[in-house]
Amino acid sequence: MTPCGEILAAEIRAHGSIPFSRFMEVALYHPLCGYYVAPRDPFGKDGDFYTASQVQPVFGRLIACALRQCRAAMAEPAGFTVVEWGAGRGEMAAGLSEFTYFGVDFARGGAPLQFEGVVFSNELFDALPVDVARIRGGVACGMNVGLEDDRFVWRESGPLAPEWREYAASLLPHYREEAEIWLELPVRLGRTLSAMCAPLTRGSVIAIDYGYTARELVRFPRGTLMSYRRHAAIEDVLLEPGLQDITAHVPFTYLEEAARAEGLQTGPLETLAQFLLRAGEADQFASALAADTEPESLRLRLQLKSLLFGMGETFRVVTLRKEGLL
Ligand SMILES: C[S@@+](CC[C@H](N)C(=O)[O-])C[C@H]1O[C@@H](n2cnc3c(N)ncnc32)[C@H](O)[C@@H]1O
């Protein structure tokens, strides 16, 4: 068993089955052996997956263009600050060096106590621990993680808490008639969003991620949990905790509702391609594609192509606005 597996198994033996959010939290973020904490780098060619943040410098330059547009819309405040949540290995820092920039990650880095500007995230929300519900005959029950012959297995855990029972019931009309539905419950999303926007006195939250609106749930009757290892998707998210990434698509409709509850205004949900095209068109992509040599120019054009056509339709951008106290 993996070190995270040993920790989880001991918990289950002592107290019984555990919520999936606890399993995911230990598997990804345990301070000694969690996937994102262990010395092995999960990102890039020798890791398990690529993110847009690794498509540098073009992604950083285009995000910088978008941030300049935000700063202009705010009438160029002198203290304009960019705080990136879930900064990972800090790939955005170089591209955003013209701004006062803070990278915050799980238990690393910190945001200023108050600032105006932009809170930015790329693939943060899909990495937050979720709980899991299974719905049969219109009745939802929680799905915990138990242990059987030293293997982690799903275990029914009883009725959902009222908040999540309501959440599941509100989404049920969006599915076709299915004998069984699996649904992730975004139990950490609200508090993470709160923490991200609490210090922001005025400005925007720009979150890039993959996910679904409530109306798109019809495509995911088995839920969206997925693991990644060595650039391959693995359906069994309970395998070898700590050694493979675990993600859940982001429920954008719920994210927008949580944002409105925080007093934020929600903008249209764009594809990453739409967002990057808008960011780049101000100078016809001149700053994003500026290069000293022809091979470098070709490399940057390929990067732009992979951002627009490879990731551009899969990922979406949520823009939230906080106008501040009047
Ligand atoms: C999929 S990675 C994305 C990293 C980077 N943004 C990129 O695009 O390459 C998700 C990151 O979010 C971080 N993270 C997860 N929960 C967090 C939280 N509550 N606060 C800050 N960072 C968090 C993880 O540690 C991890 O580095």
Side-chain angles (χ1 to χ4, degrees), residues 115-291:
F115 66 96
E116 49 184 347
V118 171
V119 176
F120 173 77
S121 72
N122 185 60
E123 292 206 49
L124 163 70
F125 288 100
D126 70 65
L128 296 182
V130 292
D131 277 342
V132 175
R134 189 183 64 194
I135 307 169
R136 281 181 176 163
V139 179
C141 77
M143 294 305 290
N144 271 7
V145 180
L147 197 61
E148 203 173 279
D149 300 330
D150 279 345
R151 286 184 59 244
F152 295 103
V153 291
W154 292 104
R155 283 267 183 273
E156 226 176 82
S157 69
L160 303 179
E163 177 190 354
W164 297 110
R165 201 164 54 226
E166 270 173 40
Y167 175 76
S170 73
L171 295 177
L172 215 44
H174 296 289
Y175 292 97
R176 282 198 200 94
E177 229 167 83
E178 304 273 355
E180 180 172 300
I181 289 163
W182 287 61
L183 170 70
E184 291 88 47
L185 310 175
V187 291
R188 299 289 162 76
L189 188 153
R191 86 169 81 138
T192 304
L193 183 67
S194 265
M196 288 164 75
C197 45
L200 182 69
T201 53
R202 188 169 75 102
S204 304
V205 177
I206 298 175
I208 303 175
D209 233 306
Y210 51 87
Y212 51 81
T213 62
R215 293 173 60 168
E216 291 162 347
L217 258 179
V218 66
R219 288 166 37 210
F220 304 109
R222 303 291 301 164
T224 67
L225 283 176
M226 195 55 75
S227 276
Y228 291 91
R229 199 160 170 189
R230 303 244 173 261
H231 300 276
I234 297 168
E235 281 195 21
D236 188 350
V237 292
L238 302 183
L239 273 182
E240 301 200 285
L243 294 189
Q244 55 183 20
D245 191 18
I246 306 175
T247 72
H249 283 34
V250 177
F252 290 123
T253 307
Y254 179 80
L255 173 59
E256 287 172 342
E257 280 162 14
R260 286 192 283 270
E262 287 289 326
L264 299 167
Q265 295 161 288
T266 52
L269 184 62
E270 291 176 291
T271 64
L272 180 60
Q274 287 169 326
F275 180 84
L276 294 180
L277 282 168
R278 197 156 40 76
E281 77 186 359
D283 67 358
Q284 306 294 318
F285 291 92
S287 58
L289 296 176

Side-chain angles (χ1 to χ4, degrees), residues 28-29 35-37 42-44 49-55 59 84-92 103-108 120-129 188 191-193 195-196 208-210 245-247 315:
L28 297 187
Y29 305 113
Y35 177 81
Y36 280 109
V37 181
F43 301 96
F49 55 84
Y50 286 104
T51 66
S53 301
Q54 279 136 50
V55 187
F59 186 64
E84 181 183 8
W85 273 71
R89 57 181 195 189
E91 258 134 340
M92 296 302 288
V104 180
D105 204 280
F106 200 70
R108 288 201 299 276
F120 173 77
S121 72
N122 185 60
E123 292 206 49
L124 163 70
F125 288 100
D126 70 65
L128 296 182
R188 299 289 162 76
R191 86 169 81 138
T192 304
L193 183 67
M196 288 164 75
I208 303 175
D209 233 306
Y210 51 87
D245 191 18
I246 306 175
T247 72
F315 285 82

